[in-house]
Amino acid sequence: MTIDQYNFNGKKAIVRVDFNVPLDENGKITDDTRIRGALPTLKKILADGGSLIIMSHMGKPKGKVNPKMSLSQIKDTVAQYLGTEVEFADDCAKAAQQAAELKPGQVLLLENLRFHPEEEGKPVGIDKEDPAYDAAKKEMKERQKEFAKTLASYADVYVNDAFGTAHRRHASTAVIADYFDKDSKMLGYLMEKEVNAVDAILKDIKRPFTAIMGGSKVSTKIGIIENLMDKVDNLILCGGMTYTFAAAKGGKVGKSICETDKFDLALDIIKKAEEKGVNLVLGTDCVAADDFSNDANTMVVSCMDVPAEWEGVDAGPVTREMFADAIRDAKTILWNGPAGVFEFDNFAGGSRAIADAIVEATEKGAFSLVGGGDSVACINKFGLADKVSYVSTGGGALLEAIEGKELPGIAAIRGSEK
Ligand code: AMP
């Protein structure tokens, strides 16, 4: 069932959103992107003549009530965006009465799901090493089912629009789906967009496919690199991991970021790329700095020969051209992780060259997905977010999806593919 196929007229819909927005010390929202992201789904339900029960987590209250993480703080903003009043349920597990009284067009916002440990389903106050842990975990899983069943009892239909938590098997993101038949559960619009974007780079690949992996360390990206190795034509590895590769090949990298225990891994990646016929693009020259600051002195050197007191902080001019060449004619592009310390304007040139080439390819019809933490900040810094095909909102969820892992929040609705 898709959200567009469903008519919510006269139905009560319980919708899992990600309203985990940042708040200042006075409880004021500092960035409401996540609320705006869920609006198309929420508005469709109201426009159809349905009533809405909205549920979300906020922060990490660890199973306890914490007023600083109360969703009551965002109630008025949600009401403003929806253009209608919003009721509030102080305890998400005791909202049956309020849910039952909802009329078409009315909205009920539930209090933070994570005030109940059952939401995450992890036993609290007991160490993993404790012999009683397994029994406690089993008991908590049962309680989680009950909690999910209670939430499910409020509504006729379940919609999951929280991609940011799709990689978690929580009561509201996955377990709850068991209490709805297949025609009464679906993904929301935001979630559909994310899933389609991931499908475009993992399943419906148009070639050539270029993936750009950057950031600080190879160790945190290895799962993704391995999964992509079977799919891509060009693999650009950039950012801090450049120097682990250079050092592994016998280069001198000065004070550059370098994972000395990952040399074997780096050499193995080079070998695998050769075996699989993947064009692996590694930087040859870099911008080196004599200090980790925007005002540092800089010079362009070989990645294999960074002077002792200097560190590589960005891709050099020859490297930028190589990267752009591998991107410009691609038909599918994935970008995760910057090519340098882009937070400093003077070291953002390599990332900018990548962003510009992605925009050029997108204009020529390529599908480009930018996602996962810092690359989103990077594309926003350049003001180019609306010139790529899709900027993902899901950090951990996106990375796990690209690693090829099945996301519980999606499998709960679509069925497992494995
Ligand atoms: P990650 O979270 O692994 O994607 O890493 C992102 C971070 O990597 C950003 O904050 C960048 O500043 C940083 N980064 C990129 N290139 C380098 C580099 N050459 N040296 C140090 N940090 C880098």
Side-chain angles (χ1 to χ4, degrees):
M1 175 60 65
T2 69
I3 183 162
D4 268 332
Q5 288 166 346
Y6 196 88
N7 185 351
F8 291 89
N9 191 16
K11 302 282 187 194
K12 290 196 171 91
I14 189 157
V15 187
R16 175 56 155 105
V17 293
D18 181 1
F19 281 177
N20 182 26
V21 290
L23 303 176
D24 67 15
E25 61 279 9
N26 301 315
K28 260 193 82 188
I29 301 171
T30 54
D31 179 354
D32 62 5
T33 310
R34 286 178 171 159
I35 296 179
R36 286 186 284 111
L39 291 178
T41 294
L42 303 179
K43 286 189 170 166
K44 143 87 176 162
I45 294 167
L46 292 178
D48 271 4
S51 46
L52 262 181
I53 301 153
I54 305 174
M55 57 177 176
S56 177
H57 76 284
M58 178 181 271
K60 293 183 176 161
K62 303 210 162 110
K64 286 203 195 85
V65 174
N66 181 337
K68 285 209 172 90
M69 298 172 199
S70 172
L71 285 168
S72 61
Q73 301 170 97
I74 67 162
K75 186 184 97 141
D76 292 345
T77 305
V78 177
Q80 257 166 26
Y81 274 123
L82 291 178
T84 185
E85 257 177 58
V86 172
E87 289 275 316
F88 190 71
D90 291 327
D91 182 344
C92 63
K94 293 197 180 118
Q97 182 73 25
Q98 282 169 289
E101 285 167 6
L102 281 179
K103 307 240 169 2
Q106 292 186 333
V107 184
L108 175 66
L109 174 65
L110 304 185
E111 181 56 290
N112 194 341
L113 294 156
R114 291 193 188 165
F115 284 180
H116 290 266
E118 290 83 357
E119 164 63 359
E120 293 178 81
K122 277 189 281 190
V124 269
I126 178 161
D127 201 79
K128 272 199 174 127
E129 312 301 318
D130 194 310
Y133 182 83
D134 282 350
K137 191 171 160 195
K138 221 171 140 201
E139 195 227 291
M140 183 51 92
K141 287 285 164 205
E142 288 308 310
R143 280 170 51 189
Q144 185 182 48
K145 280 188 204 160
E146 280 307 309
F147 179 70
K149 198 171 163 189
T150 302
L151 296 171
S153 72
Y154 301 159
D156 306 301
V157 50
Y158 167 64
V159 183
N160 188 353
D161 212 16
F163 186 69
T165 48
H167 57 318
R168 308 273 181 232
R169 195 176 157 72
H170 291 171
S172 68
T173 62
V175 184
I176 187 174
D178 291 345
Y179 300 97
F180 293 89
D181 65 45
K182 69 174 189 355
D183 295 326
S184 308
K185 54 185 168 190
M186 64 208 71
L187 305 178
Y189 288 121
L190 183 66
M191 199 64 153
E192 263 183 2
K193 274 201 281 181
E194 295 277 356
V195 172
N196 290 342
V198 171
D199 279 354
I201 57 155
L202 292 185
K203 292 183 183 158
D204 320 319
I205 303 167
K206 311 253 179 324
R207 299 200 175 273
F209 177 8
T210 297
I212 307 119
M213 303 296 303
S216 51
K217 293 174 175 173
V218 64
S219 53
T220 56
K221 304 276 159 97
I222 186 64
I224 300 177
I225 292 173
E226 279 182 343
N227 192 38
L228 287 175
M229 198 73 98
D230 289 322
K231 300 186 162 50
V232 296
D233 303 290
N234 303 302
L235 179 60
I236 296 174
L237 297 181
C238 54
M241 63 180 110
T242 307
Y243 310 97
T244 302
F245 280 87
K249 288 191 286 183
K252 295 198 196 87
V253 297
K255 278 167 58 185
S256 308
I257 189 169
C258 178
E259 291 177 280
T260 46
D261 59 336
K262 293 289 176 290
F263 289 171
D264 286 347
L265 185 73
L267 296 175
D268 194 47
I269 290 172
I270 294 173
K271 194 165 139 250
K272 275 202 185 126
E274 262 168 28
E275 283 165 10
K276 292 180 192 279
V278 169
N279 174 33
L280 181 66
V281 188
L282 285 162
T284 53
D285 63 342
C286 66
V287 176
D290 63 354
D291 188 20
F292 195 76
S293 86
N294 196 43
D295 312 320
N297 295 309
T298 60
M299 60 178 170
V300 174
V301 294
S302 159
C303 296
M304 298 288 283
D305 203 7
V306 181
E309 291 306 310
W310 294 63
E311 67 181 297
V313 288
D314 197 7
V318 175
T319 299
R320 291 178 200 182
E321 253 327 291
M322 280 164 45
F323 289 174
D325 282 344
I327 295 168
R328 225 176 258 130
D329 297 318
K331 287 279 168 285
T332 302
I333 300 165
L334 167 69
W335 184 20
N336 168 254
V341 188
F342 76 99
E343 294 91 337
F344 295 138
D345 288 350
N346 290 340
F347 310 151
S351 302
R352 177 77 206 209
I354 289 174
D356 285 340
I358 295 177
V359 169
E360 194 183 326
T362 311
E363 278 165 2
K364 288 192 288 182
F367 177 84
S368 52
L369 167 58
V370 178
D374 278 321
S375 18
V376 177
C378 196
I379 199 90
N380 284 335
K381 176 176 171 134
F382 301 145
L384 296 173
D386 58 355
K387 294 208 156 57
V388 299
S389 310
Y390 195 69
V391 178
S392 174
T393 58
L398 177 78
L399 298 185
E400 287 198 19
I402 304 171
E403 276 182 45
K405 291 187 188 156
E406 187 173 74
L407 304 185
I410 293 164
I413 286 178
R414 295 193 156 177
S416 177
E417 289 177 4
K418 296 199 170 148

